[in-house]
Every structure is written in C-alpha cells, then in structure tokens.
Amino acid sequence: MNPTTHRRAPRATISLSAILMLALAGCASEPPPPPAVVSAPVHDASKAPRAPAPGALLDGVAAVVNDDVILKSELDVQVAQAEKQILAHNTPLPAQDVLQKQVLDQMVVTRIELQQAASRGITVSDDSVNQALSRIAARAGVTLDKLPDELSKQGLQYDQFRKDLRDQIVIQNLEQQVLSDQLRITQQDIDDQLRLDQGSGDSETQYHVAQILVATPFNPTADDVAAARKKIDVVYQKLKSGTDFAAAAVAYSEGQKALDGGDIGWRKASELPTLFAPLVKQMKPGDFSEPVQSASGFHIVKLIDMKSSEQKVMVTQTHARHILVRTSAILNEEQAKAKIEALYQQLKAGADFAKLAAANSDDPGSGKQGGDLGWLDPGATVPPFQAAMDKLQPGELSPPFQSQFGWHVVQVLGRREADQTDASRRNRAYEAIFARKSEEVIQQWLSEIKDTAFIEYHLGQ
C-alpha cells in the first residue's frame, strides 16, 4: 500500500436521545453490528466475591455484578432515559417493574463487558472521546462548546453523557477484539455467499425485521429450555390476540434492541441470523413467525417491510502519478518544501516525470514505478491528495501540496468510468457474512461471560 492510500472510516449513526443504544461506528476500526443480549441465571448469593461498599448501600443497590454494584440512582436515570426513547418510537410503555428489569438487564451486561475490557487492558483516550463528541455535536448542528446545552434540553447531563460515550467506545473496541480472535472470513466464504445470493434470486432484497427473544443460558438445562418455551408461548398467544409487537418486545424481549421494540433494522437475507432468513422470505410485511429455537433461546420474528435496490455501480477512476518528499532527521519541513518546489520547477521545464520520481520520491511503492499509482477509485487516497487530483485535467500537473505523509506533486494521466458492480457485490457479500457471523459470535460470547459472572438482583428489596 502506498502512503497516499487509506481505509475509509465507516459511517457513524449517533442519536443524542438514545444514549443506551449509541452506535459509534467510526470510533472503532470495524465495529460489529449491535449484538443481542443473552440472559443468564442469577447465581447463589453465598458465592459473592465481595460485599458492596458501605457507602453504596446508602443509595440503594439495584444489582451486584461480580465485584461491582449498580446503584438504584443509576438505574433510575437509565429508566427515565429509556422511557423517553420508547415514547419517541410511539411504543406504549410497559409496567414500571417490567421496564426496570429490562433496563437493569442491559446495565448488567454493560458492566460485565466493561469488566472484561478492563481485564484485557482496553482503554480509550480523552482524545478519542473528544473526537466522538465533536462528531455528535456536528450531527446535532451545534459547536462542541454548545453540546452541553443541547444535551440539557434533552434531559441529559454532559458529564454522564461523556462517561456513557466512553463506555460504549470501550465496549465496541472489546467486541472488535473478540471478533478478531474468533471470526474468520475467507475468499471461499465470499465465493459461497455470492453463489448463494445468485441462486436465491433476491440478493438485493432488503428486509426490515424485528424480533422478540426469550433467552436461555449458556449450556441450558432441560428445565431452562422448558421455562423459556413456556414464556415465549405466552408472548406468542398475546401477539395472536392483537398485542402490539413493539410493545411486547419492550415488555418481554431479552434482546439488546428490546427497548426499540425489537427492531433490528434493514438487512439483506444473507445478513440476518441464519435462523431468520428462511422465515422472512416466506412472510408478507406485518407477518410474524411462530416461536423458533436457536442456541440462544426462542425467537419470534416479524417482517416489518421489504424493498429491492438492484443497481449497477459505476465510478470515475483516476490514473495518476506523484512524487513524495518526506521530512526526516536530515530534511526538515522547510528543506522538504524547497526540494519539492525545485522538482516542480524541473517538471514544468519539461523534465521526465518518471525519472525524477524514481530518483527522488520517498514513496517506496510508486517511486520504483516512476511515481505511477495506477487507476484509483474515489476515496482511495487521503483527502488532500484526492482534492488536488480532482482539480486536474488529464495531463495537468499540480503545484506542490502537503498531506500527512509529506509534500507532493501529482499529475493526472487519465480518467475513465469503471463498472464496479462485481467488486461491489464482493464487498456486500463480505459485509453480509460479517453482519451475520459477528452477531452470532458476539451473542454466544455474551452468553458465556454472563453465565460465568456473579449476578445478584436487588430490585424490590
């Protein structure tokens, strides 16, 4: 890879009013989609490794999670925020005790993940948090210094928002590490996915799906499975009797998207959990399935809507070459700038670009090729380089400009329209496999770590 290229950061989707469900794509290099939360049985209190601190008891303890406690005051704040979130989706609120339990379950999982992150030495710098806050402020249409006021209008305290944001970035980095350890996608997997998409005839069809999950613990007993089956059957009968699906998800689902009415968003069939795809393909919008069992528990799946988006992908590619001069221990900023300016003047006077690049360019990849970078897709280079290239017609030479890699001159050799449909299909196949497998990997991992944790609930005490 030459020094001008880079990985494009994924889009971020952050909502000020949904702190419990922050999706901070871009804060981690390749964040997984939000996993479903899997519940675990409460362990015997006699096995608690440590009693809550005396000062914590004055506030009231909602739950004990290994060596940590969740205070009643913390739960109250999150419940109030969850109520706003649910009402924003026009979903009826469940009974207060049901909502408390749902929110507390999610807080328990968050604490366990943060403890796992701490044990792995995963931290997030203040600079990373500040960058995320800047993106949030920009999306809210305010400057960073006005963000606390904007949060206050929504009933959110800036200090707590910042802490929650840091925790979510830590968790995303943790889950990224888990996926890096456990998830492998090969070229053969991509080829198989492409054949599957082609054979199904609906590779571009997307499904808007929601689910209700009644979870079973990791390695469940027969009694665990029977209890979960009984609960999902009760929920299914309520749905058949006309209970709103979103309201039932808020009240009964143990998935991470429960407070969003179970809505897991738009997915291609290949991006859905393996169990869901054959179900939704047989549904019409508005239909929901009978209870189905997976390794995580029992699910009821609803198809909210579907759409098709088949289209050809065309991009304008640029053929370019450049000379790069870096600063170094023996070449300071002024000297590097002077050197690139001298080379630029030689080029303008008719010097051979390829020979000058081979002799002077500090880009080891392209320098040996006379500075030739080949055909570049839009966004394949860093922004300053892309901007300089975009201003040039074929044959034109740029004046010297600076990027984070050093000083450049670039010449555009040509442009063409390229059909990237096949490459786009392969990218989508990879994303589909990642979306499907990563969700399953994270869900199983969460089930394992929760099942081995000490959890003691104190609601109602």
Side-chain angles (χ1 to χ4, degrees), residues 4-79:
T4 65
T5 59
H6 71 142
R7 292 179 62 89
R8 277 177 281 184
R11 291 191 299 267
T13 53
I14 303 173
S15 168
L16 292 179
S17 63
I19 187 65
L20 290 175
M21 299 294 178
L22 280 174
L24 298 173
C27 296
S29 59
E30 293 182 15
V37 174
V38 183
S39 68
V42 177
H43 292 244
D44 185 350
S46 65
K47 298 178 182 178
R50 184 187 302 172
L57 294 173
L58 297 176
D59 189 353
V61 175
V64 179
V65 185
N66 293 320
D67 289 350
D68 200 0
V69 296
I70 297 174
L71 300 177
K72 183 65 165 57
S73 59
E74 295 176 286
L75 175 61
D76 290 343
V77 169
Q78 297 293 349
V79 168

Side-chain angles (χ1 to χ4, degrees), residues 137-152:
R139 290 174 184 226
V142 299
T143 58
L144 183 57
D145 63 323
K146 297 294 184 184
L147 183 59
D149 292 338
E150 186 68 23
L151 292 169
S152 180

Side-chain angles (χ1 to χ4, degrees), residues 394-415:
E396 285 189 328
L397 181 72
S398 77
F401 64 94
Q402 190 176 25
S403 78
Q404 60 262 49
F405 297 108
W407 286 91
H408 311 256
V409 289
V410 60
Q411 184 179 39
V412 168
L413 301 177
R415 284 200 173 89

Side-chain angles (χ1 to χ4, degrees), residues 216 220-233 293 298:
T216 51
T221 65
D223 287 343
D224 292 330
V225 174
R229 178 80 220 196
K230 182 177 180 181
K231 181 177 178 181
I232 200 73
D233 285 341
Q293 186 177 7
F298 291 91

